[in-house]
Amino acid sequence: NSDDRTAVTFEGLSFATLVQTVYSLYQSIVYTPKVLTARLYVPSLELARLSLTTPCYIAELGHYYAIISLSTDGDNTATAELLEM
């Protein structure tokens, strides 16, 4: 019976469609990057545990950020260059 067969289609899998649906967040970050420089309070223990590969959430700003660079200024402060995600 041909009604029991599952049809395989490639509808919605064109390159343009995939880029638009899967990579739209990536495109917005790359095409219009929002980079800010912030001076942060970072205790030494937190600095030792900090992963530069994981985005951090800054509640005061309401966004996740990727850390581009981080330099300590002493007295548990650091200057960070952040990319809004």
Side-chain angles (χ1 to χ4, degrees), residues 38-58:
R39 190 173 167 127
L40 308 168
Y41 172 75
V42 186
S44 299
L45 184 59
E46 289 292 322
L47 193 57
R49 295 188 301 191
L50 182 66
S51 170
L52 298 179
T53 60
T54 304
C56 59
Y57 182 75
I58 300 178

Side-chain angles (χ1 to χ4, degrees), residues 13-72:
L13 294 178
S14 71
F15 183 74
T17 301
L18 287 175
V19 167
Q20 184 179 12
T21 58
V22 179
Y23 295 103
S24 61
L25 176 62
Y26 174 76
Q27 283 179 324
S28 69
I29 292 171
V30 172
Y31 290 148
T32 55
K34 296 177 185 171
V35 177
L36 63 100
T37 302
R39 190 173 167 127
L40 308 168
Y41 172 75
V42 186
S44 299
L45 184 59
E46 289 292 322
L47 193 57
R49 295 188 301 191
L50 182 66
S51 170
L52 298 179
T53 60
T54 304
C56 59
Y57 182 75
I58 300 178
E60 292 83 355
L61 301 175
H63 293 283
Y64 281 92
Y65 292 87
I67 301 171
I68 298 171
S69 67
L70 182 73
S71 59
T72 58

